[in-house]
Amino acid sequence: MDAEVLRQMLTERRAAISPESLGLIRLDPRGRKSPGLTQAHVDHLLLRAPGTYGKLERGVLDSPTPEYLRDVAHLLGLTEQEWVVLYSYARGEQPPYPLTMNPEVTVPGHWMRIMHAFSGIAYLCDPQWNVLAYNEAFAAIFPGRRPPCNTMHWMLFNKDARDRVLTDWETRWAAVVAPQLRVALARNPDNRTLRTLSQQCLADPRTRKYFRSVAPGHAHPDGAERPLHHSELGPGSLTISVSEPVGTQGTLLYQLLFRPVGVEWPDALPEIRPRAVDDPARFFAAFSTTAREQPVHDDQTPWQAVVKKPGPKATSSPLAFASGGSS
């Protein structure tokens, strides 16, 4: 638990709430002069034992429950992004659910700009695969540039998808897509859209067996490469990358790279792996006795100064190390 940052965040939000706005008064107006709710007010409003909130604010409340943190977040009027921050500081992990359980899905404007600026295929969808926004490259995949409202429904049941666009539909698409739907339903069994899609999947003999099977590999598309017949560019393959904007209720940003048949990719970039478990950038080494004896130039990071050695093969470029160059 990062006690200092947690204390500062909670104190500032608590100070912004007037006790009078919640029907509270101060018994001794000559006492505490700082604005906003007191810690005792918070305990009173949340029906907690005296001192509970004070322990949270000081970072000494042992393993606060998700439900308690959610109540605090609601009382202090935190946004979805602030809820993620509060939970991360208090418990050291991502929250198990959004702050507002049934919100109207919204996508921050800067993610929209990033999506449209991406030269490849990009779209945003909610956890039920409803398409929220997309760029022109995404629309170009589909016949007539008519993108679907729900990508899961299109991939599983649309005739163009099965017979024309999604190459090797049964083995390369349905076999991995249908299990993704089953996993999503297990996580959210009360969702009407997921239930409807699952019922349709079970009713269709071409998808039923895949819905009931275990997906090869993992039931998530990130990092997958699948064959596709682009409606304008012809046959090729897609490389899929998926990210989740913070605080957007499970909204996913899909970024896809399409490679037509006969076009070679550039050499694959190596995976980024830390050079050391606890100090991948070698910042700690920069403050060792040996490092202090070496001058650090204005255009060097402390790590570059430590690893740089004399000789014709020496380099101060981090790129040389990332690509296996000499050091």
Side-chain angles (χ1 to χ4, degrees), residues 139 141-148 151 153-170 173 206 227-231:
I141 293 176
F142 306 94
R145 292 202 167 209
R146 295 187 299 272
T151 57
H153 184 276
W154 183 85
M155 288 186 291
L156 289 177
F157 309 117
N158 184 271
K159 180 175 175 56
D160 281 331
R162 290 179 171 187
D163 301 339
R164 177 179 173 185
V165 180
L166 303 183
T167 309
D168 297 331
W169 175 80
E170 288 212 21
W173 290 89
R206 295 189 67 186
L228 178 134
H229 192 286
H230 196 288
S231 293

Side-chain angles (χ1 to χ4, degrees), residues 129 152 156-157 176-186 193-194 197-198 201 211:
W129 288 276
M152 178 60 71
L156 289 177
F157 309 117
V176 291
V177 169
Q180 291 174 27
L181 174 59
R182 185 175 180 180
V183 170
L185 181 65
T193 300
L194 296 177
L197 288 169
S198 299
C201 200
F211 184 84

Side-chain angles (χ1 to χ4, degrees), residues 244-282:
E244 181 176 353
V246 175
T248 56
Q249 310 294 333
T251 298
L252 296 177
L253 172 65
Y254 283 76
Q255 293 176 295
L256 317 176
L257 294 177
F258 178 74
R259 176 172 61 91
V261 170
V263 176
E264 296 295 328
W265 282 118
D267 292 339
L269 296 175
E271 293 184 357
I272 298 176
R273 298 182 180 273
R275 296 172 63 88
V277 175
D278 297 322
D279 186 23
R282 301 290 181 90

Side-chain angles (χ1 to χ4, degrees), residues 13 18 27-28 47 52 54 81 91 98 108 139 145 174 181 192 198 253 273 279 283 295 309 313 321:
R13 294 311 301 263
S18 167
L27 296 178
D28 183 5
L47 303 178
T52 302
Q81 291 85 351
R91 290 181 57 91
R145 292 202 167 209
L181 174 59
R192 181 179 178 182
S198 299
L253 172 65
R273 298 182 180 273
D279 186 23
F283 288 121
K309 297 179 181 180
K313 294 185 179 180
F321 296 98

